[in-house]
Amino acid sequence: MKTVKWYNYQKGVGSDKKMLWGWGEETNKDLGPIFQHECDYCGSTGTWNLYIKRRWISIYFIPVIPYKKIYCAICPNCNSYIKFSKQEFKQMKLDIKSRV
């Protein structure tokens, strides 16, 4: 899934230098395979992995402050995802660890 980045330019206080900051930078942490599922979006069947998606505020293109966290399983074909609550996510994470 392609991330759209939004950037704003502001003058630094007391100087002529500009500070570049933005939001929308996204990182994905793959925790491993969780289940076989048919995607409702693309129709393919495959092994979906459990992920934590984080969105960040960035300064000079460096992610600094996380402002959103999504717990989900991602389709291996089209990258669409199914969201989970934090409690459901914790249980799935334990299931992955118990298989290893």
Side-chain angles (χ1 to χ4, degrees):
M1 186 170 268
K2 191 171 182 176
T3 302
V4 177
K5 297 179 186 177
W6 298 91
Y7 290 99
N8 295 301
Y9 294 91
Q10 284 189 346
K11 275 195 164 188
V13 178
S15 72
D16 292 332
K17 295 180 181 178
K18 292 187 178 185
M19 185 172 104
L20 185 64
W21 63 277
W23 62 92
E25 182 72 29
E26 188 172 273
T27 58
N28 297 318
K29 183 176 181 183
D30 186 355
L31 300 171
I34 190 66
F35 52 68
Q36 287 278 353
H37 185 69
E38 181 180 344
C39 181
D40 294 336
Y41 187 75
C42 69
S44 70
T45 301
T47 303
W48 290 45
N49 285 5
L50 191 63
Y51 280 86
I52 299 175
K53 296 170 84 59
R54 288 188 180 96
R55 296 218 174 113
W56 299 80
I57 292 173
S58 59
I59 297 175
Y60 292 106
F61 303 101
I62 300 169
V64 180
I65 303 168
Y67 68 89
K68 188 173 187 178
K69 190 184 285 188
I70 300 171
Y71 305 106
C72 60
I74 297 180
C75 173
N77 187 48
C78 69
N79 291 328
S80 62
Y81 58 89
I82 301 169
K83 290 183 185 179
F84 300 114
S85 68
K86 190 172 186 175
Q87 189 173 14
E88 291 171 324
F89 172 79
K90 283 182 179 182
Q91 183 60 47
M92 289 182 190
K93 189 175 174 182
L94 287 173
D95 291 344
I96 289 172
K97 286 184 178 182
S98 67
R99 284 188 257 154
V100 175

